[in-house]
Amino acid sequence: MTDQKVIEELRKTFEEKFGGEGERVFFAPGRVNLIGEHIDYNGGHVFPCALTLGTYAAVRKREDRKLRFYSVNLAEDGVIEADLDDLTYKKEDGWTNYAKGVVWAYRQAGMDIPAGFDFACSGTIPPKSGLSSSASLEVLTGEALMKLYGFEEDQVRNAKLGQIAENQFVGMNCGIMDQFASAMGQKDKAIFLNTATLDFQYAPVPIGEAKLVIVNTNKPHELANSAYNDRRRECETALKDLQKVRPELKALCELKPEEFELLSNAIADPVCRKRAKHAVYEDARTTEAVEKLNQGDIAAFGKLMNASHVSLRDDFEVSCRELDVLAEEAWKIPGVIGARMTGGGFGGCTVNIVEDNSVDTFVDQVGKNYTEKTGLVPSFYIVSIGDGPSEVG
Ligand code: GLA
C-alpha cells in the first residue's frame, strides 16, 4: 500500500471509530541501526537512520479529559480508553501504554495538556521486527502533542521524553538511539550520534550501486525485554569493577580498546568482562566505520558491520541461531558488502548492504538456505532512508 493510501484509509477508520471531521494526520518513522549496537546505554557512538516505514496517526483534540485510542494493526483490541487524570501503566491497555506514557512524560516535563484526544493509528513497520515500531509510536505521539497543544517544536526533547516514557512508564530500560533516530531522521542520511553528549552529525550513506536490505527472521522474540535489561545490568557491574581502578570513568565506551586490555582484569566476572569488551570495541568500530564511509570506502564499512555481528554473537550474546544463519548465509554471497543483526537482538532483523546485481541471488539463496536450516520463512525489505516526524495531512 502506498503511504497516501494508508493515510486515506486511516481517515476513514478515524471517522468510523470517532465520527466527525477535523482530525490532523502525523507520521513518525521506524529506524534501522547500521552499526553501534548495544552501546547507547554505555555512552557509545551509534549510527542509525530513520526509514520511510513508520506509523501514521489521525488525531483530534477533545473537549473533556478522555483519551481514546485505536490501531488499525491491532483492530482486535478495539477502542481503548484512558483518562488524563489516571495516567498509569495498565497491562490490559496493551500498545496504548506507549502513547499514554508519552502524554505522562510531557506533563511531567511541565507541559500543559488540558484536554484529551482521539487517536487512530496505522503502521507500515512489520510487527516485532525490531525496527522500532514502539519508538516510532512514542515520537509520533510527541509530534501530535506538540502540534495539537502548540508546544514549541523540539525534536531532541521529543526523543528524550519518548525514552523517559519507555523507561519509566512502560518499564523497558532502553537507551536513546531509537527515539533519537526516529525524531531526528533525515532523508538519505544516517545519524552519527554520541550517546554520552547527544552531539550528532548527519552522514550521507553513499552506497552507490547497492541497496539496503533488511531481512526479518520472523522469529517470535518475547523474552527480548528481560534479556535486554540483564545486559544492561552486566554492563553496569563491569563499569563498577573498572571504577575501582579508574574512579573517574563514567561509561564503558570512554575506554579505547588498548586501555581496556590493560584494565580488563579488574572486571571480576568473565561474563561481564565479555560484555564490556563488546561495548568498547563496538564503539571503536563505529567511529572507524563512519570514517571509512566518509572516505567512500564502503567495502571497509561492510567488513566492520560483519565484525559487529561476530562481537554481538560471541561476546555480547544477543544474537540467536536464526540471526546467525541469516548473517552467515549473506556473507557467503559475492556482492554482499556487509551483513549483521540490527537492534536489540534475540530475533528481529539483519541489515545488509547488497550490490544491485546481487539482490536477486541474495533473496533467493539466503531465503532458501534459511528455510532449510530453521524451518522459518524470512521476509525481505529493500528500504530507503527517510525523514523524521511531520504532519502529513
Ligand atoms: C533496542 C533499544 C536501543 C538500543 C538497541 C541495541 O533497540 O531500544 O536503545 O539499545 O536495542 O543497540
Side-chain angles (χ1 to χ4, degrees):
M1 237 197 301
T2 64
D3 291 359
Q4 225 32 58
K5 194 101 191 96
V6 174
I7 296 171
E8 257 170 51
E9 306 239 309
L10 182 60
R11 281 193 184 282
K12 269 195 220 137
T13 305
F14 186 92
E15 262 183 58
E16 266 166 43
K17 298 294 161 190
F18 303 124
E21 34 190 53
E23 74 281 4
R24 294 167 70 178
V25 184
F26 305 97
F27 169 79
R31 67 93 188 91
V32 66
N33 188 22
L34 299 178
I35 191 163
E37 212 67 83
H38 278 279
I39 53 174
D40 63 341
Y41 50 86
N42 288 310
H45 293 82
V46 296
F47 196 50
C49 50
L51 296 171
T52 51
L53 300 170
T55 316
Y56 296 83
V59 195
R60 188 182 54 208
K61 261 205 276 192
R62 297 175 56 88
E63 301 287 313
D64 60 13
R65 297 180 66 77
K66 256 191 211 156
L67 303 169
R68 294 197 297 174
F69 297 101
Y70 181 82
S71 163
V72 171
N73 307 81
L74 291 165
E76 62 277 17
D77 289 0
V79 172
I80 297 177
E81 287 199 11
D83 201 294
L84 276 176
D85 299 312
D86 175 30
L87 283 177
T88 47
Y89 178 88
K90 293 197 183 104
K91 192 156 186 276
E92 65 274 19
D93 286 355
W95 67 273
T96 69
N97 282 303
Y98 293 93
K100 284 198 302 177
V102 171
V103 177
W104 172 85
Y106 266 77
R107 286 173 97 198
Q108 291 265 106
M111 275 164 272
D112 186 27
I113 303 178
F117 54 77
D118 291 331
F119 183 106
C121 66
S122 177
T124 55
I125 303 170
K128 301 203 170 155
S129 58
L131 301 176
S132 291
S133 54
S134 42
S136 137
L137 175 60
E138 287 152 6
V139 168
L140 176 66
T141 307
E143 172 74 3
L145 293 180
M146 287 192 278
K147 296 272 166 63
L148 289 184
Y149 298 90
F151 306 140
E152 189 199 337
E153 175 95 15
D154 181 343
Q155 290 298 352
V156 172
R157 181 190 61 201
N158 194 21
K160 286 184 187 165
L161 292 175
Q163 185 199 15
I164 287 175
E166 189 143 349
N167 291 170
Q168 298 178 22
F169 196 88
V170 179
M172 160 71 179
N173 222 357
C174 64
I176 187 74
M177 172 171 77
D178 303 346
Q179 292 78 8
F180 200 94
S182 174
M184 297 296 289
Q186 225 178 62
K187 189 171 160 40
D188 296 331
K189 308 246 171 75
I191 309 172
F192 182 48
L193 170 68
N194 178 340
T195 60
T197 58
L198 294 193
D199 288 341
F200 67 97
Q201 279 160 10
Y202 289 108
V205 184
I207 56 176
E209 317 270 279
K211 296 272 180 300
L212 209 52
V213 187
I214 294 177
V215 190
N216 194 341
T217 58
N218 288 329
K219 177 199 176 194
H221 56 136
E222 269 78 34
L223 291 175
N225 284 10
S226 69
Y228 183 93
N229 289 345
D230 290 345
R231 291 300 178 279
R232 284 203 69 149
R233 265 194 301 278
E234 289 158 358
C235 289
E236 279 157 24
T237 305
L239 178 64
K240 279 203 189 100
D241 283 355
L242 287 168
Q243 284 167 336
K244 290 178 195 150
V245 292
R246 202 43 108 72
E248 72 284 5
L249 194 69
K250 287 199 190 58
L252 291 178
C253 293
E254 284 174 16
L255 293 175
K256 298 272 166 277
E258 313 77 64
E259 291 173 288
F260 175 76
E261 294 304 338
L262 294 174
L263 300 176
S264 66
N265 281 337
I267 305 171
D269 176 12
V271 171
C272 295
R273 203 180 306 139
K274 282 208 294 187
R275 306 298 189 242
K277 180 179 168 211
H278 164 76
V280 170
Y281 279 80
E282 181 76 353
D283 188 47
R285 254 190 304 273
T286 304
T287 304
E288 191 187 344
V290 175
E291 274 164 24
K292 296 292 180 198
L293 197 65
N294 288 338
Q295 293 158 10
D297 190 348
I298 184 76
F301 184 86
K303 290 212 175 75
L304 291 160
M305 286 173 74
N306 299 349
S308 165
H309 183 88
V310 170
S311 178
L312 289 158
R313 180 188 71 194
D314 298 345
D315 287 333
F316 216 66
E317 296 179 283
V318 289
S319 187
C320 60
R321 181 165 140 70
E322 291 78 2
L323 286 168
D324 290 342
V325 171
L326 283 182
E328 283 154 23
E329 291 303 324
W331 295 337
K332 288 182 195 160
I333 296 173
V336 171
I337 296 166
R340 58 182 286 277
M341 59 156 276
T342 184
F346 305 103
C349 294
T350 59
V351 58
N352 308 262
I353 302 178
V354 187
E355 284 173 8
D356 284 346
N357 48 24
S358 299
V359 170
D360 289 346
T361 318
F362 175 82
V363 171
D364 189 56
Q365 293 295 308
V366 173
K368 187 164 123 283
N369 295 340
Y370 178 73
T371 302
E372 241 164 52
K373 293 190 171 167
T374 65
L376 295 170
V377 179
S379 309
F380 294 85
Y381 323 110
I382 297 178
V383 296
S384 309
I385 303 180
D387 280 319
S390 58
E391 182 160 3
V392 289

